[in-house]
């Protein structure tokens, strides 16, 4: 009698875009904290820099706010492409995001517009462009290692 071959789980990966058209594949089948640390290590960012991901339309995924022991695969859909963003806290508790993909404006204008015109308060709610609490992060250093 023949045995059925073992059923293999589909390979899980996400693609993260950053820098000058750079991309890297990551396995989201791990805890969110470990995925974020691994992304920082892979792209060469300092450990104290806060990062998150946005989808290709510029919507923040909020991995940084996920419980650290939650699996990233619970939040991220496999085989999708994400844009790396740097997250900074403002004095008033709101957050500013800075896309870390240098050519975002040319290649994904909708994502660029969404990521540079809205930032987020301490609850993760998007602030509109008219909100005086927004602090755009265009002139600060990226936090990348040299």
């Amino acid at each position: 009698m023949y045995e059925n071959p073992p059923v293999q789980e589909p390979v899980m990966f996400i693609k993260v875009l950053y820098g000058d058209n750079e991309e890297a594949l990551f396995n989201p089948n791990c805890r969110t904290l470990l995925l974020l640390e691994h992304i920082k290590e892979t792209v060469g960012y300092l450990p104290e820099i806060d990062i998150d991901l946005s989808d290709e339309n510029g919507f923040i995924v909020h991995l940084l706010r996920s419980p650290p022991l939650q699996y990233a695969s619970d939040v991220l859909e496999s085989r999708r492409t994400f844009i790396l963003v740097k997250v900074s806290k403002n004095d008033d508790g709101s957050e500013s995001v800075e896309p870390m993909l240098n050519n975002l404006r040319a290649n994904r204008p909708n994502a660029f517009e969404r990521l540079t015109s809205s930032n987020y308060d301490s609850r993760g709610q998007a602030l509109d462009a008219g909100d005086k609490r927004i602090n755009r992060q265009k002139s600060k250093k990226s936090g990348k290692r040299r």
Side-chain angles (χ1 to χ4, degrees), residues 91-111:
D91 293 336
D92 64 357
S94 64
E95 292 179 346
S96 296
V97 295
E98 178 183 0
M100 304 313 295
L101 178 61
N102 295 335
N103 62 351
L104 187 61
R105 176 180 278 183
N107 292 337
R108 291 176 174 83
N110 291 341

Side-chain angles (χ1 to χ4, degrees), residues 74-124:
D74 293 342
V75 179
L76 302 173
E77 188 177 332
S78 184
R79 300 176 188 250
R80 296 272 316 268
T81 299
F82 296 92
I83 300 164
L84 184 64
V85 296
K86 178 181 170 185
V87 179
S88 302
K89 289 255 188 216
N90 299 322
D91 293 336
D92 64 357
S94 64
E95 292 179 346
S96 296
V97 295
E98 178 183 0
M100 304 313 295
L101 178 61
N102 295 335
N103 62 351
L104 187 61
R105 176 180 278 183
N107 292 337
R108 291 176 174 83
N110 291 341
F112 176 81
E113 186 64 31
R114 185 166 282 116
L115 287 170
T116 58
S117 67
S118 294
N119 282 289
Y120 300 86
D121 67 15
S122 59
R123 298 176 315 251

